Amino acid sequence: MRNKQVDFYTCLYLTNVCSEDCVYCGFRRSNHELTRRTLTFSEVMLEIEAIKQIGVKKVIVIGGTLNNAGYEELIERTVKYLFEQGLTPWLEID
């Protein structure tokens, strides 16, 4: 018997800053038309609250490649907070 369950997910973009230059990606370093931004953890918590309000339980955490400890900490805190809020995180971090 097939599983007749449908799962919905939404994306949570932590940053569009990236140190790589992948041709296929809009976040690529050479895309100078893009206004760069990284969320603060306070902004992440507000986004997660909004996600909870719409009832989606699965969240894809998306961001570019950054080589700094602050970004790694933001990812770790975000994933931990998602679990604390009863949500399931998926990661798509380059």
Side-chain angles (χ1 to χ4, degrees), residues 8-58:
F8 289 96
Y9 64 88
T10 191
C11 298
L12 171 59
Y13 289 86
L14 295 182
T15 186
N16 61 1
V17 178
C18 189
S19 60
E20 301 295 324
D21 204 25
C22 303
V23 176
Y24 61 86
C25 184
F27 291 176
R28 67 183 170 275
R29 152 181 98 239
S30 63
N31 182 357
H32 301 295
E33 296 177 17
L34 188 62
T35 301
R36 303 296 176 159
R37 178 119 174 20
T38 300
L39 297 179
T40 65
F41 187 66
S42 294
E43 292 170 322
V44 168
M45 291 190 313
L46 290 172
E47 292 293 320
I48 290 172
E49 185 58 36
I51 290 167
K52 284 176 52 180
Q53 292 296 317
I54 62 173
V56 176
K57 300 286 186 191
K58 296 182 179 180

